[in-house]
Amino acid sequence: MAAHNFNDGQTGFSALQQTTNNDSPYLQDGKVRGSSWLNGKSVLLANSKGIYRYEITSQNTVASTEVSVLNPTKKAQLTIISCLFPSTAYQIITHAELKKHIRGVMHPIN
């Protein structure tokens, strides 16, 4: 999944950045770093096959030109991509593992 970071802590995926308008802890002394501040938090996704609960395991930072983050993985996981702000030449990659799938049919609200 990918969405913009609007640097307001609420819109798009901006809430995934630890602090607004601050590259730390993702960039320190010109070096890319990661963050563990969201580790253990749940992400819920739903479709017609049910509800999926993922657990965030890590965040790392890559150059915006790095495309290997889009490579398929062997196990079910969620990869969320958003820009770092203000250093938009980098992206925050949030990783989450599938923990539970609740099967069921989703019905539209009439």
Side-chain angles (χ1 to χ4, degrees), residues 28-67:
Q28 294 179 356
D29 299 322
K31 296 180 182 177
V32 294
R33 303 280 189 222
S35 178
S36 60
W37 80 289
L38 288 174
N39 288 6
K41 299 289 185 186
S42 291
V43 177
L44 299 174
L45 298 177
N47 64 19
S48 63
K49 295 181 180 181
I51 300 172
Y52 302 81
R53 185 179 71 80
Y54 293 84
E55 186 176 289
I56 296 176
T57 57
S58 65
Q59 286 187 311
N60 64 305
T61 310
V62 299
S64 60
T65 56
E66 180 59 55
V67 295

Side-chain angles (χ1 to χ4, degrees), residues 3-85:
H4 290 288
N5 177 348
F6 292 96
N7 194 39
D8 62 5
Q10 299 174 10
T11 311
F13 286 159
S14 63
L16 295 175
Q17 184 167 331
Q18 194 164 337
T19 57
T20 58
N21 205 34
N22 187 342
D23 293 331
S24 181
Y26 306 99
L27 286 179
Q28 294 179 356
D29 299 322
K31 296 180 182 177
V32 294
R33 303 280 189 222
S35 178
S36 60
W37 80 289
L38 288 174
N39 288 6
K41 299 289 185 186
S42 291
V43 177
L44 299 174
L45 298 177
N47 64 19
S48 63
K49 295 181 180 181
I51 300 172
Y52 302 81
R53 185 179 71 80
Y54 293 84
E55 186 176 289
I56 296 176
T57 57
S58 65
Q59 286 187 311
N60 64 305
T61 310
V62 299
S64 60
T65 56
E66 180 59 55
V67 295
S68 68
V69 298
L70 301 173
N71 291 346
T73 60
K74 292 185 180 195
K75 62 181 185 176
Q77 73 176 31
L78 175 64
T79 303
I80 304 171
I81 304 166
S82 64
C83 292
L84 177 63
F85 198 92

